[in-house]
Amino acid sequence: MTVVKDDSGQEAADDKGDMPGGGDTYVPSQRRLDRERHKRARARRATAIAAVSTLVTAVVLYVVVVSAPGWERTKETFFDGHYAREAFPKVLEGLWLNIRLLLICGVLVLVLGMLIAIARTLRGPVFFPLRVLAAAYTDFFRGLPLIINLMIVVFGVPALRLQGVTVDPVWLGGAALTLTYSAYVAEVFRAGIESIHPSQRAAARSLGLTNRQALRHVVLPQAVRRQVPPLLNDLVSLQKDTGLVSIGGAIDAVRASDIIAQRALNYTPYIVAGLVFVALTIPMTRFTDWVTARMDRQRAQGGTT
């Protein structure tokens, strides 16, 4: 038997016996066993308290809502099962358009945002006009409300009657989404690029890399890795805002629910469309939280910069 110190710094007996395979077995001290037992009991107690608190809150909210004077009328207007069943397949059919817009616009936003961010971080007086244009672009489209941008593009471009330019509200709405979100994503990329310490560029140059090679192989990989969580958050927002293309007449999930609601004078289809968007957004949000937590753990352990 040997005397060792446990996690609390106290001396404890560590019984080591010979195993059949020639190895040793570790016997934790009684103090450590008691401490782990106390942690488990405290975790169970916290879980029970949280469950009871959640149940009580849900019951109180239910009683408050159901006992409201206008609940019966609200239930008929917003929670009618007949119209929910009628709207659900139409909303799902329109949701496919939202998903396609998310995929196409998401790729375009990342590419355009990266190019704008690189333009804003270029050095040297010769690139001053490019930096000014990139800064003006981000300032303008970050300040312009998305709904106004959509109206200008969706209704203004067809009014110009330009030859060879589409008047499809889906394409025009996607263009407006790309213009707005690329400005936000450009600032995310720029923040990541400027967060890289200058010593990284200096080390790359000392190895014989040009400025362009240093940016491509050293700066951008680190910058993108650091900015993954905010980029995912922007994509989550883009997924929700794809529903705004319906203002131009595109039949997406929102427009499909609006058609049924206007015909039936019942708002249940809006609730269905909202729940569908929430169901689509929650996995993306949880994935973003998981990536953020994972990167925080790696950064705390020195695994990533």
Side-chain angles (χ1 to χ4, degrees):
M1 178 182 295
T2 60
V3 178
V4 297
K5 290 187 177 181
D6 62 5
D7 294 342
S8 63
Q10 302 294 327
E11 291 186 352
D14 184 13
D15 295 332
K16 293 185 177 180
D18 294 335
M19 297 181 65
D24 295 332
T25 180
Y26 167 69
V27 179
S29 65
Q30 186 62 39
R31 183 187 297 271
R32 180 168 184 174
L33 293 174
D34 294 340
R35 185 168 61 250
E36 292 179 351
R37 189 180 302 111
H38 174 71
K39 288 182 178 179
R40 290 194 295 269
R42 187 170 59 183
R44 288 194 297 269
R45 183 169 60 252
T47 302
I49 293 174
V52 173
S53 176
T54 302
L55 180 61
V56 170
T57 302
V59 171
V60 170
L61 290 176
Y62 175 79
V63 171
V64 170
V65 172
V66 173
S67 61
W71 165 244
E72 290 300 327
R73 179 59 178 170
T74 301
K75 182 173 67 174
E76 295 176 1
T77 306
F78 289 90
F79 302 100
D80 190 291
H82 169 71
Y83 291 112
R85 290 188 294 271
E86 180 183 352
F88 186 69
K90 299 294 185 181
V91 169
L92 285 184
E93 183 179 349
L95 185 66
W96 174 234
L97 175 60
N98 297 103
I99 294 176
R100 284 182 291 170
L101 279 172
L102 171 64
L103 297 176
I104 297 174
C105 294
V107 173
L108 295 176
V109 163
L110 291 175
V111 174
L112 184 57
M114 174 66 76
L115 294 177
I116 296 171
I118 293 174
R120 291 203 64 181
T121 56
L122 291 176
R123 301 178 179 181
V126 70
F127 296 114
F128 177 76
L130 192 58
R131 291 196 299 268
V132 170
L133 290 175
Y137 178 93
T138 55
D139 291 343
F140 179 79
F141 282 105
R142 290 179 70 198
L144 183 68
L146 175 58
I147 188 69
I148 295 179
N149 184 20
L150 278 163
M151 290 181 177
I152 292 174
V153 175
V154 172
F155 300 128
V157 172
L160 295 175
R161 298 182 180 179
L162 298 174
Q163 295 295 327
V165 177
T166 182
V167 295
D168 190 336
V170 176
W171 289 100
L172 294 177
L177 290 172
T178 302
L179 290 173
T180 295
Y181 271 91
S182 60
Y184 288 97
V185 170
E187 287 299 284
V188 173
F189 279 131
R190 185 173 72 92
I193 292 173
E194 294 183 348
S195 69
I196 304 302
H197 198 274
S199 62
Q200 297 288 322
R201 290 180 181 267
R205 294 303 304 277
S206 67
L207 294 175
L209 274 68
T210 64
N211 282 326
R212 179 180 176 182
Q213 292 172 331
L215 179 66
R216 176 183 176 185
H217 298 289
V218 178
V219 177
L220 286 182
Q222 297 183 68
V224 172
R225 186 165 59 248
R226 289 184 177 185
Q227 299 304 99
V228 166
L231 288 174
L232 290 175
N233 283 324
D234 284 337
L235 290 179
V236 171
S237 299
L238 175 62
Q239 183 270 321
K240 296 181 295 183
D241 286 341
T242 56
L244 294 177
V245 300
S246 60
I247 66 173
I251 308 299
D252 70 326
V254 176
R255 182 59 178 166
S257 65
D258 182 65
I259 292 173
I260 300 175
Q262 295 299 326
R263 173 175 53 81
L265 298 180
N266 189 283
Y267 300 131
T268 302
Y270 292 138
I271 301 298
V272 174
L275 292 176
V276 168
F277 273 100
V278 169
L280 185 63
T281 302
I282 286 178
M284 298 175 62
T285 306
R286 296 285 77 81
F287 176 72
T288 301
D289 294 340
W290 176 79
V291 171
T292 303
R294 181 172 178 270
M295 294 186 66
D296 289 342
R297 290 194 300 268
Q298 291 180 344
R299 189 176 295 111
Q301 298 171 0
T304 184
T305 57

